[in-house]
Amino acid sequence: MTVLKFFIDTADIDDIRRVAAMGVLSGVTTNHRMFAKRPKSAVEVLQDIAGVVDGPIVVEVVSLDAVGMVEEALSLAAIHKNIVIKVPMTIEGMKAVHRLAAQGVRTAVTLIFSANQALLAARAGAAFVSPFIGRLDDISVDGVELIAEIGRIFGIHGIATEVIAASIRHPIHVSQAAKAGAHIATLPYLVFEQMVKHPLTDRGIERYLADWDTLQKG
Ligand code: G3P
């Protein structure tokens, strides 16, 4: 049985703390754009994150060749045992995934837009694959259907690689990804907030506070 886990898609330690405090956070995905906004070094940021979340922290490499990716990956992996290396879906990326798996370093293959890409990444030894729902929707292709297709294929072939539903833009994507069998949904902080909210919940709270007030006044 798949139990959907939530990752947060940010390197913002305050947002990470907010979601961790809700007790729903199992990991973090980051990219370079996110580190660029932080005053601390990437290593410090990653150490801070590891102090808050006891789960995968996905960090990307910048090299485009396998040798460079592996070199970067090994130094990133040395920062903390929970670091997972984000590798792009390319032939060089697959070579890096294969070499890193042999050295016990977990990888998450990113920029997955087809089931065949996911299959190759899994066979190369990726611990995770990240299909991008929102970016497929952007070009009028059903992103959620890709999650379901990968899930069916991995199920038929007993592939243990976990599927991270990425490029999630709104709460409907989250429930759709859950129904499609994603193992993980990685969400921007705003989507966590949006998931909590419902106008009837707010109205219900207002109503029982008003009832309490009435009761107090006797
Ligand atoms: O999880 C991947 C995410 O960072 C990309 O999201 O909205 O740029 O497609 P987006």
Side-chain angles (χ1 to χ4, degrees), residues 6 170-171 174-175 187 190-198:
F6 292 117
H170 49 70
V174 182
S175 44
L187 321 178
L190 179 66
V191 176
F192 282 104
E193 273 194 350
Q194 290 170 327
M195 285 169 71
V196 171
K197 288 280 174 195
H198 195 286

Side-chain angles (χ1 to χ4, degrees), residues 9-10 29-31 33-34 86 110-111 113 130-136 138 164-169 186-188:
D9 196 26
T10 188
T29 54
T30 65
N31 60 45
R33 202 170 3 108
M34 295 164 178
K86 188 192 279 193
T110 190
L111 295 168
F113 295 99
S130 302
F132 275 39
I133 301 184
R135 291 198 199 174
L136 278 173
D138 288 345
I164 304 178
S167 181
I168 283 183
R169 305 273 176 76
T186 189
L187 321 178

